[in-house]
Amino acid sequence: LLQGDSGGKYTQEIRQIAQNAGHHVRFIDGFVSRNDMIGLLRQSHFSISVPFSDQLSSAILESMSQGCVPILRNLASYEPVRENAVLIKDAPDIENLLVAAFEKTERMINDEWSVKSESSIARIRKDYSRSTIVGKYLALLKYVESEI
């Protein structure tokens, strides 16, 4: 679990939940280099994003590009990647939410994970490649120019 810039109390709470649940979770404090992050993502099976509100973040897309299956709260902003994700329902507190995520992924068989992993990589290559993003950006610029 990459800590990044999350708060200390929050990080400690997540550590405690994972340890109490008996799941093997590796914690990495602070920031890591881009190359180290890619290496860690390639070793991982899942990425987790369970905020109460969010946008479709680059962290989710980066993890998917390396074959991680995202574990996501069922938010509208995650619509573009829902079919590639393991969705979890809302829970009243973070502990129940994370335990539900860990339990759901434990029940996944390798074939199911492999299909989701491969579809995650394909989704990123199709919808979020550099050429696709540049094309969308140029189309947006053209639209803005036509409105001026």
Side-chain angles (χ1 to χ4, degrees), residues 26-46:
R26 181 177 171 201
F27 288 89
I28 299 167
D29 294 319
F31 290 92
V32 297
S33 72
R34 178 157 176 73
N35 287 340
D36 287 347
M37 182 185 68
I38 288 171
L40 290 165
L41 289 172
R42 286 182 179 161
Q43 295 172 33
S44 302
H45 289 92
F46 300 95

Side-chain angles (χ1 to χ4, degrees), residues 3-104:
Q3 177 184 353
D5 61 357
S6 64
K9 182 180 178 198
Y10 175 75
T11 302
Q12 291 300 12
E13 186 177 341
I14 300 303
R15 273 183 208 267
Q16 193 63 48
I17 291 166
Q19 289 168 353
N20 289 345
H23 298 281
H24 176 72
V25 177
R26 181 177 171 201
F27 288 89
I28 299 167
D29 294 319
F31 290 92
V32 297
S33 72
R34 178 157 176 73
N35 287 340
D36 287 347
M37 182 185 68
I38 288 171
L40 290 165
L41 289 172
R42 286 182 179 161
Q43 295 172 33
S44 302
H45 289 92
F46 300 95
S47 62
I48 303 171
S49 183
V50 291
F52 290 102
S53 64
D54 199 8
Q55 60 189 5
L56 181 57
S57 70
S58 61
I60 294 168
L61 300 176
E62 286 171 334
S63 72
M64 289 175 64
S65 75
Q66 301 307 310
C68 292
V69 175
I71 299 170
L72 305 173
R73 189 183 284 247
N74 197 4
L75 300 177
S77 58
Y78 296 155
E79 176 64 36
V81 296
R82 259 193 197 130
E83 69 186 47
N84 308 97
V86 172
L87 297 176
I88 54 176
K89 297 177 182 173
D90 279 339
D93 59 49
I94 191 69
E95 183 170 357
N96 289 336
L97 198 61
L98 288 173
V99 169
F102 294 148
E103 289 172 353
K104 192 167 188 174

